[in-house]
Amino acid sequence: MDLTEGFWDNRYKTLDIGWDLGKISPPLKNYFDQLTNKNLRILIPGGGNSYEAEYLHHKGFNNVYVVDLSKTALKNIKTRVPSFPSSHLIQNNFFDVDMRFDVIIEQTFFCAIHPSLRLSYAAKLFEILHAKGKVVGLLFNVPLKDTKPPFGGCKKEYLQHFNPYFDIKIMEEAKNSVVARQGKELFFIMQKKKLNH
Ligand SMILES: C[S@@+](CC[C@H](N)C(=O)[O-])C[C@H]1O[C@@H](n2cnc3c(N)ncnc32)[C@H](O)[C@@H]1O
C-alpha cells in the first residue's frame, strides 16, 4: 500500500482530498476557544491544509507547528496565511519529529497512517510531549478497514493503544461534528502519564 510522501502530495496536487473540511473542525474550535495560554507549544501532525493552525494563529497563539509529508499542503497554508511563520511549517515524517510540545492535536492523521503503526504513534506522542502534555482531537468511531485510509477503529481498540502512556480524560462521541461525521467520531483529551520506568 502506497502511503508515501508522493502519494499524499499527489492527493493535494490533484485535489483528491475528501477529508478536507475547508474550515476548522467545530469540536476543535470549541476546545481552542477555552485555552487561555497563548504560549502553549502546539503541534498539528499531518495537519494538511491546516485550518486549525490558521485559526490558532489568528487568535494569537504563537507557538503552533504543523508537520506534514506533503509540500503542497504546507504551501497551501502559507499562501492562505502569509503571516504564518514558515519555520513552523515543517515537511517531515511525524515519526522523525524531534521537538517537544505541550499539546498535540489529532484530526484524520491517525486514520491516515497504517494500522500497524498505531502503537508507534502512541509511543511517539508520549516521547515528544512535555510532562503532563496533552493530546486532543478526534478519532473515527467506524469499523476498521485495512485496505486504504481512512483506517477506522473503535474506542476499545484506541484505549488499548493509549492507556499504557496516557490518562484518558475524555473519549466520547463528539457533540458538534460536521454533518458528514455526526455519530462517527470520538472527541478525546488525554494527558501524558508519569511512567515509572
Ligand atoms: C487524511 S489527511 C488529513 C489532513 C488534515 N488533518 C485534515 O483533517 O484535513 C492526512 C495527512 O497526513 C499527512 N501524512 C500522512 N502520513 C504522514 C506522516 N507519516 N508524517 C507526517 N504527515 C503525514 C498527509 O500528507 C495528509 O496531509
Side-chain angles (χ1 to χ4, degrees), residues 125-166:
L125 292 175
F126 181 87
E127 176 196 322
I128 62 174
L129 276 172
H130 288 307
K132 296 193 177 168
K134 288 180 181 159
V135 190
V136 178
L138 298 155
L139 291 168
F140 280 124
N141 189 18
V142 293
L144 178 66
K145 284 184 292 169
D146 59 3
T147 49
K148 60 180 173 109
F151 302 108
C154 63
K155 182 169 175 176
K156 189 171 165 220
E157 185 222 327
Y158 299 147
L159 291 178
Q160 277 168 11
H161 295 317
F162 297 128
N163 264 332
Y165 299 103
F166 295 96

Side-chain angles (χ1 to χ4, degrees), residues 160-178:
Q160 277 168 11
H161 295 317
F162 297 128
N163 264 332
Y165 299 103
F166 295 96
D167 291 319
I168 314 296
K169 304 289 184 192
I170 303 175
M171 190 179 282
E172 61 186 25
E173 190 174 302
K175 293 189 178 69
N176 52 348
S177 304
V178 293

Side-chain angles (χ1 to χ4, degrees), residues 34-69:
Q34 51 81 53
L35 292 177
T36 50
N37 179 359
K38 302 262 164 103
N39 294 319
L40 286 171
R41 281 177 65 84
I42 302 178
L43 173 67
I44 310 183
N49 279 335
S50 297
Y51 308 101
E52 287 72 26
E54 175 177 0
Y55 184 78
L56 287 165
H57 176 69
H58 288 315
K59 281 199 84 156
F61 288 82
N62 48 36
N63 277 315
V64 181
Y65 292 77
V66 177
V67 168
D68 201 291
L69 285 177

